[in-house]
Amino acid sequence: DVHHPGAPLEVGAHDRGVAAIVALPDGRIATGGRDKRVLIWDLHHPGTPLELGVAHRRGCALTALGDGRIATGGWDRRVLIWDPHHPGIPVELGTHDDWVFATTFMRDGRIASGGLDGRVLIWDLHHPGVPLELGTHHRGVSAITTLPDGGVATGGDDDGRVRIWDPDRPGTPLELGNHDRGVAAIAALPGGRIASGGY
């Protein structure tokens, strides 16, 4: 609580480390753990999570959809959609050729993902298995976010490059610059700017 620094509310725990966390539209939070589980936590009822299911080995990437569903990606290469109203029954959108590091929800309802295979893919929830490939990083995509104008920003795992992709013009990214090593996190700021942090 920003009004009470130093007094966190513990809502619960995974059996192993927490790999990702995301806020849901209804105020709950979802977490993905290294115990493979995807859990939803109600801040008003700590300790009693809703378990969506076992998702990916060795942690996962999470993003929240506008309707409360959750997209995940992980070491098993799959991009999955989970519905809190139907736990344990994910919809598989498709797969990368290697570990999925990052996912993000786009304003038009699609999902963008980046993986260790270097590919930046966009998935249509109504047409699983047929991704649009925006392009590639040389050595994997470690971070991804959606921009207010509908673009996608990515960070490279080893090459440290920060790029912006236009979904209407695949294969022609805008190169913003690069870190000395891989990009660990990326976020869109108001006004069209991008913040990134690297290894």
Side-chain angles (χ1 to χ4, degrees):
D1 189 330
V2 296
H3 302 295
H4 301 91
L9 168 67
E10 182 172 332
V11 295
H14 281 261
D15 297 330
R16 297 182 64 192
V18 176
I21 186 169
V22 67
L24 302 182
D26 63 7
R28 295 182 296 173
I29 59 173
T31 55
R34 301 198 186 282
D35 58 4
K36 309 178 187 178
R37 296 188 298 160
V38 179
L39 304 177
I40 294 181
W41 305 87
D42 186 334
L43 304 185
H44 301 292
H45 299 92
T48 56
L50 168 65
E51 182 166 333
L52 292 185
V54 175
H56 310 276
R57 299 187 317 178
R58 291 184 59 183
C60 63
L62 292 180
T63 192
L65 283 65
D67 61 7
R69 289 180 295 170
I70 298 165
T72 65
W75 200 27
D76 60 4
R77 307 177 301 163
R78 297 185 299 160
V79 178
L80 303 176
I81 301 295
W82 302 83
D83 187 339
H85 296 104
H86 303 284
I89 311 173
V91 174
E92 182 173 320
L93 292 183
T95 62
H96 278 257
D97 295 328
D98 209 329
W99 191 344
V100 180
F101 273 159
T103 57
T104 188
F105 177 62
M106 301 177 65
R107 295 180 66 184
D108 62 9
R110 294 182 293 176
I111 299 292
S113 61
L116 193 58
D117 58 3
R119 297 194 297 160
V120 182
L121 302 179
I122 293 181
W123 305 89
D124 186 331
L125 276 64
H126 302 292
H127 301 284
V130 189
L132 168 67
E133 183 165 329
L134 293 184
T136 62
H137 278 260
H138 297 302
R139 297 184 179 179
V141 178
S142 52
I144 193 167
T145 192
T146 303
L147 305 180
D149 65 1
V152 175
T154 58
D157 179 43
D158 285 335
D159 62 16
R161 296 172 186 237
V162 178
R163 292 176 167 173
I164 295 178
W165 306 84
D166 182 346
D168 295 326
R169 298 178 60 200
T172 57
L174 170 65
E175 191 102 11
L176 290 185
N178 63 283
H179 288 258
D180 294 332
R181 293 180 61 194
V183 178
I186 194 166
L189 302 175
R193 293 183 298 171
I194 293 170
S196 63
Y199 293 109

